[in-house]
Amino acid sequence: ANTIVVLTLSGIAYLPVLVLGGVLGWPGVLAGATQIVPYGIGTLIGGRLFNPGNERLYRAVAYGIIAVAAVAGLPIRGG
């Protein structure tokens, strides 16, 4: 939970830097705003489902997700 709070707050704190640097405009802000509710719902559901007694299961799932992301990120060379 602490990690989620830190990442969320640091992301929010970084928004003014992106806006002032001209990297983030209104279309991006509006697109991000549409994701606030689903993000909050997902966070609430995840918090309710989390059981510290299942640490091995969560670790295995996390490693699986990391492995899939690593393989999906590999460059594919066409024939």
Side-chain angles (χ1 to χ4, degrees):
N2 289 341
T3 303
I4 292 172
V5 170
V6 168
L7 291 174
T8 301
L9 292 178
S10 64
I12 291 170
Y14 195 57
L15 285 175
V17 174
L18 294 174
V19 171
L20 292 174
V23 177
L24 181 63
W26 281 111
V29 172
L30 294 175
T34 64
Q35 298 302 308
I36 290 174
V37 172
Y39 178 80
I41 292 171
T43 302
L44 289 173
I45 291 171
R48 300 227 187 243
L49 292 176
F50 181 73
N51 179 359
N54 292 336
E55 178 184 350
R56 294 184 75 192
L57 172 65
Y58 295 123
R59 188 179 308 269
V61 170
Y63 286 149
I65 292 170
I66 292 168
V68 168
V71 171
L74 292 174
I76 298 175
R77 298 183 74 178

